[in-house]
Amino acid sequence: QVQLVQSGAEVKKPGASVKVSCKASGYMFTDYTMHWVRQAPGQRLEWMGWINVGSGNTKYSQNFQGRVTITRDTSASTTFMELDSLTSEDKAVYYCARGRSGWQLDCWGQGTLVIVSS
Amino acid sequence: DIQMTQSPSTLSGSVGDRVTITCRASQSINSWLAWYQQKPGRAPRLLIYVASSLESGVPSRFSGSGSGTEFTLTISSLQPDDFATYYCQQYSIYPWTFGQGTKVEVK
């Protein structure tokens, strides 16, 4: 079955970077896009960007001011989301989500908690 | 950014109730709208896409309607498993945005 398994929780200091991974299984990895969405405590979901896994093309939300980078390793069926210059406002659960050809997000990872604390 | 506003923010219901959640977009998104269900500590689950298409495996008591700027999610007969938070999401214009959520709780 389709499964997205994310890396474990991270604790980072302000100003640092975090890199979260998302390993896919159960489908043709390069046939879909992969999106990243985050959710701060008690807040709505926030879309961060996507990568076309086949081509490597990316699209990011301008709300992250160039701090987010999404990459993939097709040999490992894994995508990565790196967020730079962390502040306390980046404390959130980060999700990867598969995008179908119609762009709906049909399968989500279990989430990765990122805590930013000095 | 397109603002997505859901109403109500909280909805109290009983098993068997028909419940409706509304989602309004700050500008037209045609039918590029999805609905998700999220339970505490869990990832969102896709229920509806392109405003009214039921995702595979989702019970038929869930339905979606609307286009342009106003959309609804209806649960025809609320079941114990349906108590959760529901989010709408537009994927018409970048950046994609979500509503603030509607918590469906036990009356």
Side-chain angles (χ1 to χ4, degrees):
Chain A
Q1 74 281 19
V2 176
Q3 199 171 9
L4 302 176
V5 178
Q6 299 183 221
S7 49
E10 301 263 12
V11 179
K12 296 293 183 180
K13 294 191 182 303
S17 299
V18 68
K19 192 170 186 177
V20 180
S21 68
C22 170
K23 183 172 177 59
S25 60
Y27 70 96
M28 186 63 70
F29 182 60
T30 53
D31 282 356
Y32 295 81
T33 55
M34 193 69 76
H35 299 245
W36 288 85
V37 177
R38 75 176 184 180
Q39 188 171 37
Q43 300 301 308
R44 71 180 70 192
L45 297 154
E46 183 177 18
W47 178 80
M48 301 178 71
W50 59 257
I51 186 166
N52 179 314
V53 176
S55 67
N57 291 339
T58 54
K59 178 72 173 179
Y60 301 118
S61 169
Q62 294 302 311
N63 294 335
F64 289 87
Q65 300 162 332
R67 295 192 300 131
V68 63
T69 304
I70 302 172
T71 57
R72 91 291 193 216
D73 178 348
T74 55
S75 66
S77 298
T78 301
T79 57
F80 303 91
M81 185 285 301
E82 185 167 19
L83 187 61
D84 300 330
S85 304
L86 293 169
T87 73
S88 59
E89 295 188 349
D90 294 315
K91 176 184 176 181
V93 175
Y94 289 76
Y95 294 101
C96 59
R98 188 182 78 165
R100 286 213 298 255
S101 59
W103 296 101
Q104 60 271 27
L105 306 180
D106 68 346
C107 181
W108 294 60
Q110 84 276 17
T112 297
L113 175 62
V114 174
I115 296 172
V116 183
S117 174
S118 55
Chain B
D1 297 3
I2 294 180
Q3 304 303 312
M4 305 299 291
T5 304
Q6 293 179 229
S7 60
S9 294
T10 306
L11 188 159
S12 298
S14 301
V15 173
D17 284 354
R18 180 183 180 88
V19 300
T20 297
I21 299 168
T22 298
C23 177
R24 289 185 173 86
S26 60
Q27 64 185 83
S28 176
I29 57 170
N30 296 305
S31 294
W32 299 111
L33 184 105
W35 289 97
Y36 299 87
Q37 177 193 68
Q38 187 178 35
K39 296 182 178 180
R42 304 290 297 275
R45 172 197 181 195
L46 177 66
L47 301 175
I48 301 285
Y49 59 98
V50 289
S52 61
S53 293
L54 189 69
E55 174 68 356
S56 176
V58 174
S60 59
R61 62 181 179 271
F62 291 92
S63 64
S65 65
S67 66
T69 61
E70 188 155 336
F71 303 85
T72 59
L73 173 71
T74 299
I75 309 172
S76 61
S77 177
L78 199 61
Q79 297 301 302
D81 191 47
D82 300 340
F83 294 100
T85 299
Y86 294 83
Y87 293 93
C88 61
Q89 178 230 338
Q90 67 83 16
Y91 51 109
S92 175
I93 295 172
Y94 291 115
W96 296 356
T97 48
F98 291 81
Q100 83 279 15
T102 295
K103 184 177 181 180
V104 177
E105 62 180 22
V106 177
K107 183 184 287 185

